[in-house]
């Protein structure tokens, strides 16, 4: 009822800007909804009744939502400090130790119970507050991008540390959003004795697609009722249903040969690097005969030691992306065969190991509709002239349309199933594994702007500026309001599980792409961070001395050509 009323209000232009006016709208919603029949709560293990009637919002819900919005506005500085601090750490997958230390310290001081090293991953953790049902899990990613170091607020390429990692995907913003939202809701839960449990968790090494399947295996979500995920974006949006991107398996192939002197007796060697090159050539010829929906790419992780030694071992790392689990498995089998052929041609042997995986994403319709209603209540941030100038300058630098920042929220979109012939490949996120185990929704929040190609210095420009700070605060309000909906309206949980069981998973059973023998690749990026961390540490943000990271770096906002 609430979501439907908000949608109708938006269509007819009845969307108040002031908090007082919003309160009157919520009161009207309560009066209208009180005419409807309520439906009983359904726990995770119970089958919900068919087409349950919408229950009226609890009388205090509107007041709770106004309170968390005001509370989050009061935590603007905390949000800014968290966003800027994580940005300054510049940590990449599996090496997010400073990020873990910093965030878990804040959560412990706020009364959350923290467990570190979950699922056998040193930088992973959970933070819990409350007890009983419903159990709401809040997640977002924390890792950066190699070679994406960039001074924030500078509209052209200007690294903080040349060659170092940085937040060229904006993953420094999502967990701060969840923390601020959780703190605001926690205050109400304590005062009002609201039952329920909040669990916060980080997406470690998301850019490697390397942890969330292990979280599922370790049982982190076995008692969770809903997952509210978020990811940095350029607008305040959500969606539901089949995702347009791909799932993925990440596999490293290692060939073993025999060393020899390359100049004196090369005929006595068997080059593992030859095998790598043969595999890559074979794969590139095979691309013509793969489906249009696939995406595949590789890097050579070990090409030998030096030219005058025939490489005894060599490795190549593949990402194999497709739209469904069966197609991913089929693609993987093809890669295995090509690797075996390369080994035969070079008289070497080959082994492989899985470094990561991700199921295709499917998000929950009921949770998306709940998110969307709160999105329209919160609205987009108010952008300053400086914010818009930065966005347009970066867009001009990259020769893309100079559209500035988002000014209008699009309509909620989603389909239960997107026909495969409409899909044309795309990115992956291992939130897909979680989405096939518990009802999940993803919030995009406007901490960035359209310009960069992704995984690039340009995508880091906004991520420690007022654009990111405002976007996180707006997203935190939506997240907090949605948590309150889940805590106080049990029909949301029952209907979300009804969609999950009877629509999303009706004909599809989750089978993990990781195998029993696979373990998290926690050694990845060790050498890179060991190389760059000392230089990055000199630039860690000190909130006790500087108002913002821009102030610490001495950057005039915005800095344009």
């Amino acid at each position: 009822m609430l979501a439907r009323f908000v949608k109708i209000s938006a269509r007819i232009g009845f969307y108040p800007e002031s908090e007082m006016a919003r309160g009157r709208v919520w009161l009207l919603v309560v009066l209208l909804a009180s005419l409807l029949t309520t439906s009983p709560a359904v726990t995770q293990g119970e089958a919900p009744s068919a087409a349950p009637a919408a229950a009226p919002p609890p009388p205090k819900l509107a007041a709770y939502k106004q309170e968390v919005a005001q509370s989050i506005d009061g935590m603007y500085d905390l949000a800014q400090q968290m966003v800027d601090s994580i940005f300054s750490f510049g940590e990449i997958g599996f090496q997010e130790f400073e990020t873990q230390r910093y965030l878990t310290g804040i959560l412990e001081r706020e009364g959350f119970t923290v467990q570190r090293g979950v699922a056998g991953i040193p930088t992973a953790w959970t933070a819990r507050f409350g007890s009983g049902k419903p159990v709401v899990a809040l997640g977002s990613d924390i890792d950066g991008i190699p070679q994406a170091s960039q001074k924030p607020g500078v509209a052209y390429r200007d690294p903080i540390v040349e060659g170092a990692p940085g937040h060229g995907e904006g993953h420094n913003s999502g967990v701060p959003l969840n923390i601020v939202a959780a703190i605001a809701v926690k205050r109400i839960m304590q005062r009002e004795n609201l039952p329920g449990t909040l669990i916060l968790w980080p997406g470690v090494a998301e850019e490697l697609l390397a942890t969330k399947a292990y979280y599922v295996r370790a049982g982190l979500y076995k008692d969770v009722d809903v997952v509210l995920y978020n990811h940095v974006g350029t607008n305040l949006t959500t969606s539901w249903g089949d995702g347009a991107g791909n799932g993925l398996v990440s596999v490293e192939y290692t060939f073993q040969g025999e060393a020899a002197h390359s100049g004196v007796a090369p005929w006595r060697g068997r080059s593992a690097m030859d095998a790598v090159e043969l595999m890559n050539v074979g794969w590139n010829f095979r691309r013509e005969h793969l489906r249009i929906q696939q995406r595949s790419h590789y890097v050579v992780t070990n090409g030998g030691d030096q030219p005058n030694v025939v490489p005894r071992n060599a490795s190549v790392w593949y990402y194999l992306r497709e739209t469904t689990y069966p197609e991913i498995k089929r693609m993987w089998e093809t890669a295995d065969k090509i690797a075996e052929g390369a080994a035969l041609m070079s008289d070497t042997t080959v082994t492989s190991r899985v470094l990561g995986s991700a199921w295709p994403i499917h998000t929950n319709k009921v949770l998306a509709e709940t998110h969307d209603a709160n999105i329209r209540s919160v609205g987009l941030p108010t952008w300053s002239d400086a914010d818009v100038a930065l966005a347009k300058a970066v867009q001009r630098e990259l020769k893309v349309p100079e559209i500035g920042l988002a000014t209008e929220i699009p309509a909620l979109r989603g389909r239960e199933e997107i026909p495969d012939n409409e899909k044309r490949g795309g990115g992956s996120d291992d939130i897909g594994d979680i989405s096939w185990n518990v009802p999940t929704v993803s919030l995009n929040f406007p901490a960035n702007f359209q310009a960069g190609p992704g995984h690039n210095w340009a995508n880091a420009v906004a991520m420690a500026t007022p654009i990111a700070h405002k976007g996180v605060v707006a997203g935190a309000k939506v997240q907090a309001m949605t948590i309150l909906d889940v805590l106080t309206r049990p029909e949301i949980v029952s209907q979300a599980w009804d969609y999950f069981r009877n629509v999303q998973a009706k004909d599809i059973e989750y089978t993990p792409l990781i195998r029993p023998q696979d373990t998290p690749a926690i050694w990845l990026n060790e050498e890179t961070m060991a190389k760059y961390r000392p230089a990055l540490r000199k630039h860690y943000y000190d909130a006790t001395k500087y108002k913002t990271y821009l102030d610490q770096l001495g950057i005039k906002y915005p800095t344009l050509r």
Side-chain angles (χ1 to χ4, degrees):
M1 171 66 186
L2 178 57
R4 193 175 302 120
F5 176 80
V6 173
K7 286 182 178 180
I8 293 171
S9 300
R11 282 200 296 268
I12 63 176
F14 182 52
Y15 233 85
E17 294 298 326
S18 71
E19 294 294 336
M20 183 177 296
R22 287 177 187 155
R24 288 196 291 268
V25 171
W26 284 111
L27 180 59
L28 179 57
V29 170
V30 172
L31 293 172
L32 290 171
S34 65
L35 301 176
L36 301 177
T37 303
T38 63
S39 60
V42 177
T43 60
Q44 185 183 34
E46 296 174 350
S49 58
K60 292 185 177 181
L61 180 57
Y64 291 162
K65 290 188 175 185
Q66 289 181 348
E67 181 178 339
V68 292
Q70 294 169 358
S71 180
I72 289 167
D73 281 333
M75 289 187 280
Y76 183 97
D77 287 350
L78 174 61
Q80 169 260 311
Q81 290 167 12
M82 288 191 287
V83 168
D84 287 6
S85 293
I86 302 171
F87 184 93
S88 74
F89 300 151
E91 294 175 309
I92 44 180
F94 286 118
Q95 307 305 315
E96 309 97 330
F97 291 101
E98 292 286 356
T99 302
Q100 181 200 61
R101 176 195 57 78
Y102 175 72
L103 293 177
T104 57
I106 291 171
L107 286 161
E108 285 179 324
R109 289 193 294 274
E110 288 291 337
F112 288 78
T113 301
V114 172
Q115 181 182 359
R116 297 174 178 85
V118 297
I121 300 164
T123 56
W125 48 269
T126 60
R128 302 174 69 99
F129 172 80
S131 61
K133 291 284 194 174
V135 180
V136 183
L138 310 174
S140 191
D141 304 321
I142 57 172
D143 58 326
I145 299 291
Q147 300 190 49
S149 178
Q150 171 66 26
K151 291 178 181 176
V154 177
Y156 46 85
R157 179 79 171 100
D158 190 5
I160 298 171
V161 175
E162 182 64 51
H167 277 285
E169 176 74 3
H171 285 174
N172 60 305
S173 55
V175 173
L177 182 159
N178 283 338
I179 290 176
V180 171
I183 292 171
V185 172
K186 169 181 166 285
R187 293 170 180 171
I188 293 176
M189 292 174 70
Q190 288 178 309
R191 186 188 71 233
E192 303 290 329
N193 294 316
L194 291 180
T197 305
L198 305 182
I199 303 176
L200 285 79
W201 54 271
V204 168
E206 188 278 333
E207 297 300 343
L208 305 174
L209 293 306
T211 59
K212 296 188 183 85
Y214 292 104
Y215 290 175
V216 172
R217 176 195 283 180
L220 266 63
Y221 308 98
K222 64 181 180 180
D223 297 320
V224 169
D225 291 295
V226 300
V227 170
L228 305 182
Y229 182 68
N230 75 61
H231 194 282
V232 60
T234 61
N235 207 318
L236 194 56
T237 63
T238 190
S239 61
W240 63 272
D242 194 6
N246 285 342
L248 163 155
V249 66
S250 165
V251 186
E252 185 181 48
Y253 293 91
T254 296
F255 296 87
Q256 295 287 337
E258 185 59 58
H261 193 300
S262 301
V264 174
W267 55 88
R268 297 182 63 181
R270 299 191 307 278
S271 173
M273 185 58 193
D274 286 352
V276 164
E277 291 185 293
L278 287 166
M279 180 178 182
N280 294 343
V281 168
W283 186 263
N284 289 330
F285 272 99
R286 186 61 182 266
R287 284 179 194 273
E288 180 185 357
H289 311 290
L290 297 175
R291 287 167 19 108
I292 293 173
Q293 293 86 346
Q294 73 86 26
R295 292 288 187 275
S296 52
H297 14 269
Y298 56 81
V299 293
V300 175
T301 52
N302 174 18
D305 298 302
Q306 58 192 55
N308 66 334
V309 180
V310 173
R312 180 177 177 273
N313 49 61
S315 301
V316 60
W317 181 9
Y318 272 75
Y319 274 16
L320 306 170
R321 306 183 196 252
E322 255 287 6
T323 59
T324 65
Y325 174 85
E327 292 295 345
I328 296 167
K329 290 284 287 184
R330 190 172 294 116
M331 198 175 182
W332 187 359
E333 291 166 2
T334 298
D336 284 349
K337 290 178 182 177
I338 292 174
E340 291 165 5
L344 284 171
M345 285 187 285
S346 56
D347 196 16
T348 59
T349 60
V350 63
T351 58
S352 66
R353 60 183 177 182
V354 172
L355 300 184
S357 69
W359 258 64
I361 298 170
H362 191 114
T363 47
N364 192 271
K365 183 179 182 181
V366 175
L367 297 178
E369 289 173 341
T370 307
H371 247 162
D372 187 65
N374 291 317
I375 284 170
R376 295 176 194 288
S377 175
V378 171
L380 287 165
T382 299
W383 308 116
S384 69
D385 291 343
D387 298 333
V388 176
L390 177 64
K392 289 188 174 182
V394 175
Q395 290 158 355
R396 184 164 56 252
E397 179 80 11
L398 297 181
K399 298 179 173 57
V400 298
E402 294 181 35
I403 59 175
L405 288 152
T407 58
E408 184 176 345
I409 296 171
L412 175 65
R413 309 182 90 176
R415 283 191 280 178
E416 291 177 9
E417 182 178 1
I418 300 174
D420 216 38
N421 61 8
E422 293 184 22
K423 295 182 179 181
R424 288 296 180 269
S428 310
D429 190 321
D430 49 356
I431 190 63
D433 288 80
I434 297 170
S435 77
W436 286 96
N437 284 272
V438 61
T440 299
V441 69
S442 182
L443 172 71
N444 282 354
F445 56 97
N448 213 322
F449 46 78
Q450 294 182 37
H455 297 179
N456 183 271
W457 66 266
N459 296 88
V461 169
M463 293 312 305
T465 73
I467 294 171
H469 308 150
K470 294 172 186 178
V472 165
V473 166
K477 292 177 183 179
V478 174
Q479 198 82 313
M481 291 178 180
T482 305
I483 298 168
L484 288 169
D485 281 318
V486 174
L487 293 178
T488 62
R489 299 171 58 198
E491 74 276 7
I492 290 177
V493 174
S494 63
Q495 291 171 14
W497 276 97
D498 179 51
Y499 177 88
F500 178 85
R501 293 189 180 107
N502 299 317
V503 178
Q504 175 183 343
K506 181 180 179 182
D507 300 313
I508 299 175
E509 182 178 356
Y510 173 77
T511 303
L513 285 158
I514 56 172
R515 305 161 300 186
Q517 69 268 30
D518 295 322
T519 57
I522 59 175
W523 64 88
L524 290 173
N525 292 322
E526 282 181 348
E527 292 183 4
T528 300
M529 286 310 302
K531 177 180 179 180
Y532 288 107
R533 194 184 294 279
L536 288 168
R537 187 175 285 116
K538 297 176 184 178
H539 301 281
Y540 285 178
Y541 173 48
D542 186 349
T544 66
K545 295 182 179 179
Y546 300 95
K547 173 69 175 173
T548 69
Y549 196 40
L550 291 172
D551 293 336
Q552 180 170 323
L553 295 175
I555 294 172
K556 178 185 176 183
Y557 180 73
T559 296
L560 315 178
R561 284 196 188 276

